[in-house]
């Protein structure tokens, strides 16, 4: 089965389950942020495990549901948990969910993630609004998907991978929600281990602000098919060598729980303003 056939099968299943609900905005929640989703009316929750062709989320802090609903007149779909390269999925398959969302009608994608910071002005609890990224995963979800024009062109521009207008709105919304936020560059690594102190210093010299193990495959798939992207990276720790204590996923979950309320407030503003 081709990926296009997989996506069409998933779309047909979801349209039947949601009575042809057409979402405009999609949100992907990062580690520990599943409970930050604003209260949606007419909510329909569909586990990933029931959707044909969808991958399985295996990481703690990633619930594994697709949630459809309405927030103040805006049709929303939420990926409550994501898929990672380090889970053993091929990068090619990481594009399935994004392409499914696009085919359902999504025009704007909000990507959130927990990250380590290399900028002392962005300490734990702060938000980095992504203005660009550096792909150090040495792989790309678009490889091998060049025969399906429905997914978009093989060669496309990434001058504005992260929508400038949406970034401006997000910065203003962060201020209103009393969140320390700055723009920065996301450095994508494969994981699952955290980085070494020397790697963190190298990333800084290359122009990165924060580092994480996701986001970029989703953004590439979204931009290829014409979906506008807003990237929001929550700082849960300082990078290795900057942090004074050893890093752990448990710390990531612990720190994200502290900002769930603020992120929910931010999303309530963004769902209306975007």
């Amino acid at each position: 089965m081709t990926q296009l056939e997989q996506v069409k099968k998933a779309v047909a299943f979801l349209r039947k389950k949601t009575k042809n609900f057409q979402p405009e905005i999609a949100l992907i929640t990062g580690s520990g942020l599943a409970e930050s989703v604003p209260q949606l009316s007419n909510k329909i929750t569909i586990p990933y495990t029931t959707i044909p062709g969808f991958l399985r989320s295996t990481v703690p802090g990633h619930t594994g549901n697709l949630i459809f609903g309405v927030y103040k007149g805006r049709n929303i779909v939420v990926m409550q948990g994501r898929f990672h390269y380090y889970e053993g999925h091929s990068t090619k398959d990481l594009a399935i969910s994004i392409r499914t969302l696009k085919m359902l009608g999504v025009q704007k994608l909000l990507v959130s993630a927990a990250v380590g910071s290399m900028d002392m002005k962005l300490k734990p609890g702060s938000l980095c609004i992504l203005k660009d990224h550096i792909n150090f995963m040495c792989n790309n979800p678009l490889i091998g998907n060049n025969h399906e024009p429905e997914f978009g062109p093989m060669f496309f521009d990434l001058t504005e991978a992260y929508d400038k207008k949406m970034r401006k709105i997000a910065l203003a919304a962060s201020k209103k929600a009393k969140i320390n936020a700055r723009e920065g560059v996301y450095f994508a690594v494969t994981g699952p281990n955290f980085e070494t102190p020397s790697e963190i210093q190298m990333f800084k010299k290359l122009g990165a602000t924060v580092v994480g193990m996701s986001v970029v495959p989703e953004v590439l798939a979204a931009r290829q098919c014409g979906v506008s992207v807003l990237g929001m990276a929550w700082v849960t720790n300082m990078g290795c060598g900057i942090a004074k204590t050893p890093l752990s996923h448990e710390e990531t979950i612990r720190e994200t729980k502290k900002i769930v309320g603020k992120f929910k407030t931010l999303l309530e503003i963004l769902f209306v303003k975007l």
Side-chain angles (χ1 to χ4, degrees), residues 95-167:
I96 291 173
S97 55
I98 304 302
R99 288 165 171 164
T100 298
L101 296 178
K102 167 63 177 180
M103 204 167 284
L104 286 170
V106 167
Q107 300 171 29
K108 298 174 182 177
L109 175 65
L110 281 58
V111 181
S112 67
V115 295
S117 174
M118 294 167 273
D119 185 342
M120 294 307 295
K121 293 180 180 178
L122 283 172
K123 294 183 178 180
S126 300
L127 180 64
C128 183
I129 303 296
L130 305 182
K131 64 179 180 180
D132 207 346
H133 68 238
I134 299 171
N135 184 6
F136 209 66
M137 289 183 167
C138 301
N139 214 322
N140 189 309
L142 312 183
I143 293 173
N145 283 321
N146 53 299
H147 303 301
E148 308 291 0
E150 290 88 347
F151 296 150
M154 179 191 291
F155 307 107
F156 58 98
D157 181 66
L158 281 176
T159 302
E160 198 171 306
Y162 301 87
D163 190 86
K164 190 173 183 179
K165 183 178 179 181
M166 292 171 73
R167 282 161 28 205

Side-chain angles (χ1 to χ4, degrees), residues 2-3 15 36 67 78 80 88 121 125 154 172 181 185 187 192 212 222 224 238 246 252 261:
T2 67
Q3 188 167 115
R15 281 179 176 158
S36 62
I67 302 173
V78 179
Q80 202 175 31
K121 293 180 180 178
M154 179 191 291
V185 176
F187 198 97
Q224 183 188 38
M238 301 306 293
T252 298

Side-chain angles (χ1 to χ4, degrees), residues 59-78:
V59 182
H62 291 262
T63 309
N65 292 316
L66 203 57
I67 302 173
F68 296 83
V70 180
Y71 186 81
K72 294 187 177 180
R74 307 298 294 277
N75 286 1
I76 309 294
V77 59
V78 179

Side-chain angles (χ1 to χ4, degrees), residues 176-212:
K176 189 173 182 180
K178 297 181 180 178
I179 297 168
N180 177 44
R182 298 168 63 89
E183 287 192 325
V185 176
Y186 184 98
F187 198 97
V189 294
T190 62
N193 59 280
F194 293 104
E195 305 72 34
T196 68
S198 294
E199 287 171 339
I200 289 296
Q201 292 305 312
M202 179 183 73
F203 300 165
K204 281 181 66 177
K205 290 178 180 178
L206 290 175
T209 312
V210 295
V211 60

